[in-house]
Structure formats: C-alpha cells, structure tokens
Amino acid sequence: MADFASDNSANDTRETLSSPTPIHTSGIFPHTSSSSSSTSSSSFPPTMTERLMAMVMVEAECQADAKKSGKGTGYLRRAKTETLQEIFNKYATVDKDGELYMTASDFVRSYLGLYTEPNPNPKSIQLLGGILDTSKDGLISFSEFHAFEGLLCVPDALYKTAFQLFDTKGTGMVTFEEFVEVIKQTTLHQKVPFDFDSDFVKMYFGKERKRAINYTEFSQFLHDFHEEHAVQAFKMFDKTGSGFITAMDFKDIMLNIKSHLLTNPVQTNLVAAATGHKVSFPFFMAFNSLLTNMELCKRVYLNSSGGSRTQEVTREEFLHSAQMMSQITPLEVDILFHLTELISESSGKIVYSDLEAITPEQYMKVITRKLTDIKAVESPEQRGVLVQIMESAYRFTLGSLAGAVGATAVYPIDLVKTRMQNQRTGSYIGELMYRNSFDCFKKVIRHEGFVGLYRGLIPQLIGVAPEKAIKLTVNDLVRDKLTDKKGNISLASEIIAGGCAGGSQVVFTNPLEIVKIRLQVAGEIATAQKPSALMVVKDLGLFGLYKGVRACLLRDVPFSAIYFPVYAHSKWLLADENGYNSPWSLLIAGAIGGVPAASLTTPADVIKTRLQVAARAGQTTYSGVFDAARKIWREEGTKAFWKGAPARVFRSSPQFGVTLVTYEVLQRLFYVDFGGTRPQGSEAQLPASAADLRSTNPDHVGGYKVAVPIFRGIESKFGLFLPRYV
C-alpha cells in the first residue's frame, strides 16, 4: 500500500500546515516518537444492536466535540449525511432486498482508488473492506460506511482503523486467532516468519492464548509487535546464542523487517555502519531505536545549535544536549555520527541536513505551490556544463521579471532620491529647489503631474531586467561554487559572492543609470521639449554611457557585498521552526538587507550622480571620483555626501524586498530541478500528517478525505504490508 495515494504534496501550501482544523493522526509515520497516543478505551460490543448504537455514539461524540472546540468534528469536519448517501449510492453495486450495499472491491478499488492494478490480491482487498464491515456479512451497508467516516474524524483514527483490521469477527476484541489470521497474510511474515508461540505473544494473549485484547491494549501491542519481530529475527540468525550476527544478516533483517525506516543513504550504508563483520544485539537495538527517534534527534540538534540549521555540532555538544532533553543513549549518538560520516563524509561534526538524510520520511509535504515541477537531471552527479548553463539562464529569466517588478514598485522614490542628490548648494543664490524629499515629491506632482513620478521608467525597465538578473544570477552562481557538500557557506564567501554580483552588474547599471538620471532631472528645467532616452544616448555616445563607472563600481560592489549576506542571515532569523520562509518573511528580510547596504554606500552614490548628470552653466564640473569627492567636501561639506540617504534607503529597502520575494516565489512556482542548490528556506520537507495528505477526489468528503493516508499509515507505522497481487 506504500504507493496507494497519488502524491498531492506538491500542491500543498503553507496554509495547510497552519490550518485551524488540523487532524493529528498519531503515529502515522515510522519516525514518530510517541509510542501510543491512544486515549480511548471503548470497544465495539458484540451484538448488532450495540454495534449500531456505538456507531451513533461515535457520531454524537464527534458532533459534541465540534460544538465545544469550534473546529469541526474531531478537528476534521464531518460530511453531511445526505452527501454521504449520494456518494454511497454512486459506488454501491449490490442491491439486496431493495437496499444498496458496497462490496469490499467497491470500497477499496472504486471509491478509494487502491489496488487498481491488474490481478489484485482478493484476500488483501477483503481484509481492508472488512475494516468497515463490522457486521461481517461480506457487504458494507450505508450505516457502516457512515460510521467509518465518523471514526476517521477522531485523533486516533489510525489505531482504531488498524484495530478493526484485526477484529475480523467484529466482536470489539482481538483474539489470538484473529491476530494470526491477519499477520500470516502480510508480506513481512512471508519473508521472516513470526514465532506465534513466543513469550511476547503469551504476555499479551495469556499462556494458553485464550485472552482477547481490547482496543487500548491492542494499540500498545501493535507498537511493540514490530520490535519483537526484529528481535526474533536477530535470534534466528544468531544460531549459537553469542549475541552477535554478521553484518550481512543485519542488512537482511533491516531490509526485510525495517525497510520503512530506511532512507536510500541508510540502505546503501547498512553494512558499513556495522563497523566490522559482527553486529552485537545492543548495537542492533540502538540502531533501530535511533531510526525510530530521528525527529527527536532533530530537536536535540536544534537545541544544541541554538536554532541554526547550518552550525556544525560535535558529538560532545550533541550528547550534552541529548542528556538534557531525552533518553538518547551514547551508543545511539555514536551510531548517528558514524552514519553521517559514511553518508556525507563529514569530519566528526553534523549539521541539520545530515539528520534529514537519515530521517525515514516516506511521506513528505513540500511547503510551496508549484505550477511546474520539472526534473532536468535525476541526480546532482549528472550536472554537466550544459545543465549549469540552463540553470543560469533559468535564474536570469526569473531575475529579470523580479527586477522589473521591484523597480516599478519604488520608481517614484528613486526619482525623488535622484533629484535630491543632484540639488547643489553654494553655486547660486536661490538655487535650492527642494527643502526635503517630501517637498520634492509634492512639487513633482504639482508641476509635472503624477506621470512625472515615472519619468525615465521605460529605460529603467529595459535596463533593470538584465541588471537585477545578472546580479541575482551571479550571486547564486558564486554562492553555489563556494558552498560545501553539506550546504554550508562562510560569511567571507557570502561577502565575496555579493561583491562579484555587484561588480558584474555595472556593465548594465552604468548606461542605465546615466540615461535614467538625466531624464529624471530634466523635469527641473522649464523647456519646451523634454529629452527622450534616445536623445540622451545619442548625445552621450558609447563611451559617455560609461561615465562615472568607477563610482558605480565603488557603490555597487560594497552594496551587494553588504546586502546579500544580511539578507541571507535575516532569512534564517525569520524562518519558522522548520526552516521555511513565507513570502512575508522574505519581503521583510529583503527590506532589512537594504537598510545598511543603501545607507552605507550613499556617499559613492552621490559621487556617481554628480559625475553622470550634465552640469548646468555656472555649476562645478568634475573630472573623476577623487576630484568629485574633494570638490563636494570643500564646497558643500560632509553632509553633502549623505544627501538623499533617507530616500535612497526608502527606495532600495522596499525595492530589494519586492525583488527578492518575487525572485524566490517565482522559483517556487515555476520549479525546475537542475540538481543544484535551492534558495535557503524556499521549501521545508516535513513528515506529512493525514491532514497534509487529504485526498483531492471530490467524492472523498468529511473523514474520507484522509482515508487513503490512514490506510497507508497501517504500513508505514506498523509495517503491515499486504500483498498487492495474486
């Protein structure tokens, strides 16, 4: 049943995770640390009347809980009876005495969409259908269909469903014979036969195995059964009773009995993890315990690293944190660090990504909505030069769109900033046009209209696309090259990547800036004809377009060297506990990064503006960066270097916030996997609960939205794989 449901995780959104009506299906996944989250001790009575009464009580209790909590039935809203009746009639194929019934095949294959392959195993289908068929007459009535929908709404639906799978006689208790009947049909028992005469079985079912187990006791039995099966397998291979088995025997046991706990990297390194030809029983138990508690290990790591997912943690630091938080043993810690060394070739230290490679998360939820989901390569090893070029082109395209959106959003602020920086004092008496940025904003609207705020926008958009695109692409490219195998990058490397990004954009930035600036200040002069962008380009010529290029480098290299590291660390601080950044957190992080970057590079921006704007009659002219700096300081004082700083911060901060959030959201929406690194925080893979894997089938209403994940959880939690084919 591992592939029962189609994977809808790609369409899940962040809202699903924070939904006000989550269903907490305890223990769906094998790495869940809780051993038994069941709280109900009720069981179905043996008579038909009492069983039907119990069904009614389930619905009544759910409805009562819904009214109290205001969250819907059992945290999942029940479907209307009329709706369920219509759906039931649609799939029921048996008419008996004028009443419709479903067969097991109707429910499992037609309604749930399971076992749809040719030659399905009829015994498996009958067992699954028997979960609903509490009357055990071979048919599913509407009352039983309705009652099971209510059962799926309760928090311990997985355990209740598993209990009814074993309650083959519908007595509300599980006998030894019923347990044997179901277990013998599993593929697990067929691979490694379970000893039904073991002391473990006698402890639960009695020495004579005549005792029946109720629901709450059976939920604990299911949890312990899988561990007992593994112990029995160890004893079977340890024929001499030495307490040791070979590494190959260890591998066989794990692949046959604990396969649902093994990720691909762990499977590959099972023999190497044994650290020798022999595996002791304590090592065997610790290994299994570790895989079961990987989610707890992640919490221990985050506690040790102070919440960072990239900080390296030593064995001693991890062990110290573990003793404060949990009962993880030193042997389990040794195994954990040895596994990470084998998988990631680490040097005695771990990061969060090492734990993710070990965590058995079969059913994942990616927190993003994807309009495309393209896999350019099957693995990172297949990344050739052509794939890397395609990746850069992909980033360049998205960066162009993001840059255009960001520039348009803040262009009026940029125009005010430019006019404030070009305003000179000391040359003429009465030359001061604007008292401050707000005064400039008002006068532009008064004399030039609202359109005046967007004077020069067209050349800005033409140029800003390649400018921002190359900046984002180069930053990502250099970061990729300077990031180690674990996904870590040093602060110095982040600064280098940002500086390279700033330097590379100047080839586009300088011509764009000089044309834009001359158009922006043109509105200050009352002339009959306003210059166009083409007129400015013709007037400047090719070399004139790169006037002030040194000042542009002096501004853009430090700007990006400051901005991108601040942005990356702000993202980390604003990410949620799963390392995910929502669009709002990206916007805030981008805005935060723009504050120090824009303010600290304002003097270079003032010099660049003065060099690029054509001086009017009587105004001071500048021959270069140092000449401009000297003359501005001598004629206007130190404050002149910070002219337009507020406008520059208010422009750059939101612009880069909008640009970066657009850039990363576009990468999430139009997802293409080139085998490289993804932006940090762009996706978080989480163990999916039943709520996260709700069916999109319109006929799966109410509790039936989670029916398929619940059925699948019987395998992923308890390892009870039923044969799919004849």
Side-chain angles (χ1 to χ4, degrees):
M1 289 191 292
D3 56 349
F4 271 170
S6 60
D7 186 8
N8 297 319
S9 62
N11 293 323
D12 285 335
T13 60
R14 182 60 183 162
E15 286 72 21
T16 303
L17 185 68
S18 59
S19 170
T21 59
I23 175 171
H24 304 288
T25 308
S26 62
I28 284 186
F29 299 95
H31 54 267
T32 305
S33 58
S34 60
S35 61
S36 176
S37 57
S38 307
T39 57
S40 172
S41 60
S42 62
S43 59
F44 290 100
T47 68
M48 172 64 77
T49 302
E50 291 177 330
R51 278 200 299 270
L52 291 176
M53 286 299 295
M55 296 175 187
V56 175
M57 288 303 295
V58 167
E59 181 177 0
E61 289 172 3
C62 287
Q63 291 174 345
D65 290 342
K67 291 180 180 179
K68 290 179 181 179
S69 64
K71 296 181 179 180
T73 305
Y75 302 110
L76 187 67
R77 190 177 298 279
R78 295 260 345 235
K80 294 181 179 179
T81 303
E82 298 78 9
T83 303
L84 281 175
Q85 183 72 66
E86 292 177 4
I87 293 171
F88 179 84
N89 293 343
K90 178 179 177 181
Y91 291 90
T93 60
V94 176
D95 188 335
K96 185 178 179 181
D97 300 328
E99 187 175 349
L100 289 174
Y101 293 87
M102 275 187 182
T103 64
S105 181
D106 291 339
F107 177 75
V108 176
R109 302 191 70 197
S110 301
Y111 181 59
L112 294 185
L114 312 180
Y115 284 76
T116 55
E117 304 87 348
N119 301 318
N121 191 297
K123 291 184 179 179
S124 299
I125 294 175
Q126 201 62 39
L127 269 177
L128 295 177
I131 294 174
L132 282 74
D133 181 18
T134 55
S135 63
K136 305 306 174 185
D137 59 359
L139 296 173
I140 301 171
S141 67
F142 173 70
S143 297
E144 291 167 330
F145 182 79
H146 190 203
F148 188 66
E149 188 266 338
L151 182 145
L152 290 172
C153 292
V154 300
D156 54 344
L158 174 66
Y159 279 91
K160 286 184 178 293
T161 302
F163 175 77
Q164 293 192 185
L165 172 68
F166 281 86
D167 183 16
T168 59
K169 296 179 181 178
T171 61
M173 306 287 281
V174 173
T175 64
F176 172 72
E177 289 75 17
E178 290 174 315
F179 164 68
V180 172
E181 177 187 353
V182 175
I183 291 300
K184 281 189 173 181
Q185 293 194 45
T186 63
T187 57
L188 175 62
H189 177 76
Q190 294 167 10
K191 291 179 180 178
V192 182
F194 183 78
D195 181 9
F196 295 109
D197 196 34
S198 63
D199 290 337
F200 169 79
V201 172
K202 293 176 182 177
M203 292 295 290
Y204 275 94
F205 291 101
K207 184 177 180 180
E208 301 299 327
R209 288 165 294 188
K210 299 297 183 183
R211 179 172 179 260
I213 301 176
N214 65 21
Y215 162 66
T216 51
E217 291 176 337
F218 189 77
S219 64
Q220 185 63 40
F221 172 80
L222 271 184
H223 177 271
D224 298 338
F225 161 73
H226 219 64
E227 301 305 315
E228 170 64 16
H229 203 163
V231 172
Q232 287 188 14
F234 186 95
K235 292 178 179 178
M236 182 180 70
F237 283 102
D238 180 20
K239 296 180 175 60
T240 62
S242 64
F244 288 88
I245 58 175
T246 67
M248 293 305 298
D249 291 340
F250 168 68
K251 179 181 179 181
D252 288 343
I253 293 174
M254 296 304 298
L255 291 178
N256 285 325
I257 297 180
K258 298 287 188 175
S259 61
H260 57 288
L261 294 181
L262 306 177
T263 61
N264 289 332
V266 175
Q267 286 189 29
T268 305
N269 290 278
L270 279 173
V271 175
T275 63
H277 299 295
K278 296 289 185 179
V279 173
S280 68
F281 183 71
F283 179 94
F284 177 79
M285 297 301 291
F287 193 91
N288 281 278
S289 177
L290 174 68
L291 295 184
T292 304
N293 292 293
M294 281 307 301
E295 289 301 317
L296 179 58
C297 289
K298 290 181 179 180
R299 296 290 179 183
V300 172
Y301 168 85
L302 292 174
N303 179 67
S304 180
S305 66
S308 171
R309 281 174 161 72
T310 57
Q311 179 179 325
E312 293 184 325
V313 172
T314 65
R315 177 190 179 280
E316 290 70 24
E317 292 169 338
F318 187 91
L319 186 59
H320 176 72
S321 180
Q323 299 314 301
M324 295 171 58
M325 294 181 61
S326 69
Q327 296 299 317
I328 297 177
T329 66
L331 178 55
E332 292 173 35
V333 175
D334 287 343
I335 295 172
L336 172 63
F337 274 77
H338 182 52
L339 264 179
T340 57
E341 288 176 4
L342 292 172
I343 295 172
S344 61
E345 300 177 0
S346 61
S347 56
K349 297 180 180 180
I350 61 174
V351 294
Y352 194 82
S353 58
D354 293 328
L355 304 181
E356 289 185 318
I358 302 173
T359 305
E361 299 170 327
Q362 288 101 325
Y363 309 116
M364 308 296 293
K365 175 193 169 191
V366 178
I367 307 179
T368 183
R369 181 178 295 278
K370 298 177 182 177
L371 298 180
T372 63
D373 193 354
I374 302 170
K375 203 170 183 65
V377 293
E378 290 300 323
S379 65
E381 290 73 21
Q382 297 178 359
R383 276 171 58 85
V385 176
L386 180 60
V387 172
Q388 294 182 48
I389 293 174
M390 291 171 59
E391 183 177 35
S392 295
Y394 163 78
R395 290 172 172 172
F396 190 91
T397 302
L398 299 187
S400 299
L401 296 173
V405 172
T408 303
V410 299
Y411 190 80
I413 303 176
D414 184 58
L415 181 135
V416 171
K417 182 270 303 182
T418 300
R419 292 197 179 184
M420 287 299 298
Q421 288 183 339
N422 187 55
Q423 179 171 266
R424 311 187 188 198
T425 57
S427 298
Y428 298 114
I429 297 176
E431 186 187 3
L432 194 63
M433 293 182 64
Y434 314 118
R435 293 191 301 273
N436 50 48
S437 297
F438 184 67
D439 181 58
C440 177
F441 183 82
K442 290 193 300 181
K443 287 181 177 177
V444 170
I445 295 179
R446 182 188 309 154
H447 300 297
E448 304 171 52
F450 182 77
V451 177
L453 292 173
Y454 287 91
R455 188 178 300 279
L457 176 61
I458 300 302
Q460 170 79 341
L461 292 181
I462 294 173
V464 82
E467 174 209 335
K468 290 296 185 291
I470 197 169
K471 175 186 284 190
L472 295 169
T473 302
V474 170
N475 178 68
D476 286 347
L477 180 64
V478 178
R479 282 181 70 95
D480 288 349
K481 299 298 182 183
L482 298 178
T483 300
D484 62 24
K485 294 181 179 180
K486 292 186 176 183
N488 299 323
I489 183 171
S490 65
L491 178 60
S493 297
E494 289 183 304
I495 293 173
I496 292 172
C500 291
S504 66
Q505 78 173 70
V506 173
V507 66
F508 294 102
T509 303
N510 210 82
L512 163 72
E513 290 277 337
I514 196 168
V515 173
K516 179 196 70 173
I517 286 171
R518 295 204 174 191
L519 290 174
Q520 286 178 334
V521 300
E524 296 176 338
I525 306 172
T527 58
Q529 182 180 4
K530 301 297 181 185
S532 65
L534 186 60
M535 292 172 59
V536 174
V537 172
K538 287 182 177 179
D539 181 55
L540 289 170
L542 178 62
F543 292 103
L545 289 173
Y546 284 93
K547 185 177 182 180
V549 68
R550 292 180 181 177
C552 206
L553 284 169
L554 187 64
R555 179 198 66 177
D556 289 343
V557 171
F559 181 96
S560 296
I562 295 170
Y563 179 80
F564 284 108
V566 173
Y567 171 69
H569 288 268
S570 298
K571 279 175 60 180
W572 173 72
L573 291 172
L574 294 170
D576 64 17
E577 63 177 2
N578 298 303
Y580 175 77
N581 282 108
S582 67
W584 279 112
S585 69
L586 293 176
L587 181 63
I588 295 172
I592 291 174
V595 174
S599 58
L600 294 176
T601 57
T602 297
D605 193 47
V606 171
I607 294 172
K608 179 195 70 66
T609 300
R610 294 292 181 90
L611 287 171
Q612 291 180 334
V613 173
R616 297 196 286 271
Q619 289 185 330
T620 303
T621 59
Y622 311 111
S623 60
V625 173
F626 294 106
D627 180 61
R630 185 176 61 254
K631 289 179 179 178
I632 293 171
W633 178 75
R634 185 177 63 243
E635 295 175 3
E636 304 174 55
T638 305
K639 289 184 178 180
F641 289 105
W642 302 98
K643 283 184 177 182
R648 178 169 164 76
V649 170
F650 282 117
R651 189 266 299 180
S652 294
S653 184
Q655 178 181 5
F656 276 89
V658 172
T659 300
L660 267 296
V661 71
T662 304
Y663 180 60
E664 294 206 15
V665 168
L666 285 174
Q667 290 190 68
R668 300 180 188 186
L669 291 173
F670 302 98
Y671 180 81
V672 181
D673 184 5
F674 292 98
T677 58
R678 304 291 300 169
Q680 179 186 2
S682 64
E683 57 186 26
Q685 292 188 320
L686 307 173
S689 68
D692 302 323
L693 294 172
R694 295 179 185 182
S695 172
T696 56
N697 187 331
D699 288 337
H700 293 175
V701 298
Y704 283 114
K705 289 181 180 179
V706 297
V708 172
I710 290 292
F711 275 60
R712 186 166 59 178
I714 294 174
E715 292 184 349
S716 64
K717 172 64 179 179
F718 307 124
L720 301 174
F721 294 88
L722 297 173
R724 298 184 61 84
Y725 312 103
V726 175

